[in-house]
Amino acid sequence: MFLIISDLLKFAYTILMNHSRRIIERMEEMDKQKKPKYKIGDTVVITMYGTVGKVTDVKYLSGVYVYEINNSEGLYMESSLQLISEYEGELDEKEQIDIEYMYFFGDLVHVTGYGADLFKVVGFRTEIWRYKDNAWEDVIYELSRVSDGEWLEAGEEELTLVADADSADKFIEKLGLLSYVNNPHEPPALKETETKNWFRKAEKELLKRKYERKELIDSLLDIYNDYRHLYEMFHDKEYEKAMRVVIRKLRMIVNNDGKSSN
């Protein structure tokens, strides 16, 4: 009798263990089904297109996982994706190029070989060159000369930033109070006359806007500092001459003020 009971207990225990094992396996299978097949960062192939991308987001919608690829707006089902290491079809190869632009619309620049001339950036483009044994990209900037609007193309290595787009117009306005002197195509007497006439006109315009001597001096000092900055950057004689002209104007203002106070 005891043996029969013992055998029954063993049999019941075996049945219980087998049932428990099936329950555990079922739970593991269900848990496995709840986990996404792919994770963020996986490189996958979109099988319908043969294109390669990275998983950038995983979403759980209506009981299924869907995947965002390369930050795109569309979502892909698991069945439409495959790890690139497991993919055996043909891939549609695409190249992603990251271009960093040094200058932008409205920036004020100097161009190598054009002396003190100022140019504004009005456009830019990228030229992509691919050969069997070599590859590179060229960024070409389209420019307009401030003085006469002449159009010019130049590469990044030929440009030097003078003022960004936000401050370019103000910079040009301040420099507009002074003219470039010593034009090599005109005789010295004419250059001196034109310079003096221009400064008389500029001074009148400046006085109309400022009305006060202090503001006039401050404006001329700003102009002097701008030209000094340009001279330190480019060592162009035109800027050095303009600095001397500003100093002469400041001396004239101070001397005239001293005479009027006597």
Side-chain angles (χ1 to χ4, degrees):
M1 184 69 178
F2 177 78
L3 291 175
I4 294 174
I5 294 173
S6 177
D7 290 340
L8 288 174
L9 289 173
K10 288 181 180 179
F11 181 71
Y13 177 77
T14 302
I15 293 175
L16 180 61
M17 290 299 295
N18 289 337
H19 183 66
S20 298
R21 189 180 299 111
R22 291 193 189 96
I23 292 175
I24 293 172
E25 289 175 352
R26 179 59 179 168
M27 290 177 64
E28 289 178 347
E29 184 179 351
M30 291 177 64
D31 185 59
K32 188 176 181 180
Q33 289 177 351
K34 289 181 181 179
K35 293 181 180 179
K37 184 176 181 180
Y38 308 108
K39 63 182 182 297
I40 294 175
D42 282 350
T43 301
V44 297
V45 179
I46 304 173
T47 54
M48 67 180 74
Y49 304 124
T51 55
V52 178
K54 283 190 178 294
V55 177
T56 51
D57 197 8
V58 181
K59 301 179 185 295
Y60 190 71
L61 302 176
S62 301
V64 295
Y65 285 102
V66 290
Y67 300 85
E68 176 190 85
I69 308 298
N70 293 338
N71 296 304
S72 62
E73 294 183 359
L75 297 173
Y76 296 89
M77 304 282 290
E78 282 187 352
S79 58
S80 65
L81 303 175
Q82 192 170 358
L83 288 173
I84 190 170
S85 58
E86 301 173 355
Y87 186 70
E88 297 180 353
E90 294 185 0
L91 297 177
D92 182 14
E93 295 185 4
K94 292 186 178 181
E95 180 182 10
Q96 179 175 333
I97 302 174
D98 296 323
I99 304 295
E100 183 177 352
Y101 295 102
M102 295 178 61
Y103 309 99
F104 295 94
F105 299 112
D107 284 353
L108 200 63
V109 297
H110 271 302
V111 182
T112 301
Y114 283 81
D117 290 352
L118 295 172
F119 291 82
K120 261 193 175 184
V121 176
V122 296
F124 49 87
R125 68 180 186 272
T126 302
E127 295 181 352
I128 301 173
W129 303 84
R130 293 293 181 268
Y131 294 93
K132 183 177 180 180
D133 300 320
N134 206 351
W136 70 90
E137 299 83 37
D138 287 330
V139 179
I140 307 299
Y141 289 87
E142 298 179 10
L143 312 169
S144 175
R145 186 155 57 187
V146 173
S147 60
D148 57 9
E150 181 178 338
W151 183 81
L152 179 70
E153 286 189 352
E156 279 185 345
E157 69 282 356
E158 301 176 85
L159 305 183
T160 303
L161 183 67
V162 175
D164 61 24
D166 292 336
S167 56
D169 289 341
K170 186 176 181 181
F171 188 88
I172 293 172
E173 182 182 352
K174 286 197 292 185
L175 296 188
L177 295 173
L178 297 174
S179 64
Y180 292 127
V181 294
N182 288 335
N183 188 330
H185 300 293
E186 296 177 354
L190 182 60
K191 287 185 291 183
E192 184 69 21
T193 302
E194 287 190 351
T195 300
K196 290 180 179 179
N197 290 338
W198 197 95
F199 271 101
R200 280 196 290 269
K201 182 179 178 182
E203 185 176 0
K204 289 179 181 179
E205 292 296 326
L206 193 59
L207 286 170
K208 286 180 182 178
R209 293 198 302 268
K210 300 299 183 180
Y211 296 105
E212 296 181 4
R213 170 182 170 277
K214 181 179 181 301
E215 292 184 359
L216 174 60
I217 292 175
D218 288 344
S219 296
L220 288 172
L221 288 174
D222 285 342
I223 295 170
Y224 176 83
N225 289 331
D226 288 336
Y227 273 114
R228 184 182 65 178
H229 175 67
L230 290 170
Y231 178 72
E232 290 173 351
M233 288 177 62
F234 305 105
H235 302 287
D236 193 295
K237 294 294 184 182
E238 296 289 339
Y239 297 135
E240 187 179 25
K241 292 174 183 176
M243 289 163 59
R244 290 200 295 267
V245 172
V246 175
I247 293 297
R248 286 202 301 269
K249 294 302 297 181
L250 286 169
R251 286 174 178 168
M252 288 173 58
I253 294 171
V254 172
N255 291 337
N256 289 338
D257 183 71
K259 291 177 182 179
S260 62
S261 62
N262 290 334

